[in-house]
């Protein structure tokens, strides 16, 4: 009985190369991106509907996803940081007033200082100075209550523009109608602008606006009945804030951002022209 010779030895198969992460070549991995099939390590894995994707594929996919926007076109606001920042600035400036009496004189709205001293910064800086504890408490309370609502509706940038331009509108009316030597302070112009904005936004969204309407009427009554309150700042801020909020809220949805930018720029231009005309008139009469 003959036996079969043993089979010839087979050549050794080369060991399969261990794949490494395409972003971290020193890391071995057997996981691949479900989209581009490149190997990815745990640090580069991003959860997908099935399996994992690499960071580049996730970023490319997100480009085609429409980002969430606020009610009137701004970025979604989770924390109203602008409102909080304004509150902090108000408190810090008010604290500084106790350390130096000069702060009020340097920052207050003073028509003569604007027109004759070229101190145009007073048109805005006055909104961060207050005349007493009750004054700052009321303004800060009102800002804390309604500021976050409007900041979430408009987004950080539009809300900031609304606040500052309302303050500017109050100062501009004061520049036109207040005595040249009468200083005024306070964020009330900006706050009244926010009151008007809440009313406009409520109407736009079909909310019940009777509460804010009553609040506006009560504060207007206080403005004219209590001596020493700057009615020009309140009325100027209310008119400016209401008009600007209406233009932002009712801007066409097509190219809404462009329309809103034009509205903000137009409001600033109108107020700047009013300032220049009034300053020229004061200088001519001086």
């Amino acid at each position: 009985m003959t036996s079969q010779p043993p089979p010839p030895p087979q050549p050794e198969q080369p060991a399969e190369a261990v794949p490494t992460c395409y972003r971290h070549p020193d890391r071995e991995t057997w996981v691949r991106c479900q989209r581009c099939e490149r190997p990815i390590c745990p640090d580069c894995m991003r959860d997908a509907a099935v399996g994992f994707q690499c960071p580049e594929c996730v970023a490319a996919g997100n480009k085609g996803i429409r980002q969430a926007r606020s009610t009137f076109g701004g970025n979604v606001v989770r924390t109203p940081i602008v409102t909080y920042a304004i509150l902090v600035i108000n408190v810090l400036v008010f604290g500084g007033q106790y350390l130096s009496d000069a702060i009020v004189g340097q920052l207050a709205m003073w028509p003569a200082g604007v027109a004759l001293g070229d101190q145009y910064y007073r048109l805005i800086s006055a909104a961060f100075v207050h005349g007493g504890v009750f004054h700052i408490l009321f303004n800060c309370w009102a800002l804390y209550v309604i500021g976050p609502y409007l900041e979430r509706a408009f987004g950080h940038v539009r809300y900031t523009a609304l606040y500052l331009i309302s303050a500017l509108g109050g100062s501009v009316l004061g520049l036109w109608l207040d005595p040249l030597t009468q200083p005024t302070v306070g964020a009330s112009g900006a706050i009244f602008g926010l009151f008007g904005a809440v009313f406009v936004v409520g109407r736009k969204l079909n909310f019940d606006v009777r509460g804010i309407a009553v609040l506006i009427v009560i504060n207007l009554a206080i403005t004219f009945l209590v001596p020493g309150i700057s009615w020009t700042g309140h009325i100027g801020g209310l008119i400016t804030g209401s008009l600007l909020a209406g233009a932002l809220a009712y801007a066409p949805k097509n190219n809404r951002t462009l329309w809103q930018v034009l509205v903000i720029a137009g409001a600033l231009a109108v107020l700047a022209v009013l300032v220049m005309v009034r300053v020229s008139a004061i200088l001519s009469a001086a």
Side-chain angles (χ1 to χ4, degrees):
M1 181 175 180
T2 60
S3 59
Q4 296 291 332
Q10 299 295 322
E12 293 185 5
Q13 298 295 324
E16 183 177 352
V18 177
T20 59
C21 176
Y22 81 98
R23 298 177 76 232
H24 304 98
D26 59 327
R27 302 181 187 179
E28 298 180 359
T29 180
W30 292 94
V31 178
R32 293 182 177 274
C33 172
Q34 293 295 313
R35 188 170 180 178
C36 67
E37 297 188 350
R38 290 180 292 186
I40 49 178
C41 68
D43 288 342
C44 298
M45 295 178 188
R46 303 293 185 268
D47 288 327
V50 178
F52 300 96
Q53 291 186 3
C54 65
E56 281 80 359
C57 288
V58 171
N62 287 339
K63 289 181 179 179
I65 300 176
R66 186 174 182 179
Q67 299 299 314
R69 309 292 289 181
S70 68
T71 306
F72 300 112
N75 293 327
V76 173
V77 172
R78 292 178 174 82
T79 303
I81 56 175
V82 175
T83 296
Y84 295 158
I86 295 172
L87 287 170
V88 170
I89 293 172
N90 284 339
V91 172
L92 290 177
V93 173
F94 188 71
Q97 293 177 220
Y98 283 93
L99 299 177
S100 173
D101 294 335
I103 289 180
V104 176
Q106 292 171 351
L107 301 181
M109 172 54 197
W110 181 35
V114 173
L116 304 177
D118 294 332
Q119 297 169 347
Y120 295 100
Y121 67 87
R122 293 178 180 273
L123 296 165
I124 290 294
S125 64
F128 299 96
V129 187
H130 291 84
V133 174
F134 177 79
H135 193 197
I136 189 173
L137 284 179
F138 172 79
N139 284 338
C140 286
W141 172 81
L143 179 61
Y144 179 78
V145 171
I146 64 176
Y149 167 73
L150 290 172
E151 190 168 353
R152 291 188 174 97
F154 288 106
H156 297 308
V157 176
R158 292 163 179 79
Y159 170 73
T160 302
L162 176 65
Y163 185 89
L164 294 178
I165 293 175
S166 295
L168 179 60
S171 294
V172 170
L173 189 60
L175 179 65
W176 274 82
L177 300 180
D178 286 342
L180 289 180
T181 58
Q182 176 180 307
T184 55
V185 296
S188 301
I191 297 301
F192 267 78
L194 298 187
F195 285 161
V198 171
F199 181 85
V200 170
V201 168
R203 289 296 302 272
K204 169 65 175 176
L205 300 178
N206 294 319
F207 292 161
D208 186 349
V209 295
R210 287 175 293 182
I212 187 63
V214 170
L215 182 63
I216 292 173
V217 171
I218 291 174
N219 279 276
L220 286 176
I222 294 173
T223 298
F224 289 101
L225 295 177
V226 177
I229 295 180
S230 172
W231 68 269
T232 54
H234 292 188
I235 298 299
L238 178 63
I239 294 173
T240 304
S242 300
L243 292 177
L244 181 57
L248 294 175
Y250 286 90
K253 290 187 177 181
N254 292 333
N255 297 319
R256 178 162 56 183
T257 299
L258 175 60
W259 283 106
Q260 291 173 335
V261 170
L262 293 175
V263 164
I264 292 171
L268 288 172
V270 169
L271 292 174
V273 169
L274 290 173
V275 170
M276 293 298 102
V277 171
R278 179 56 178 162
V279 168
S280 297
I282 293 173
L283 292 176
S284 298

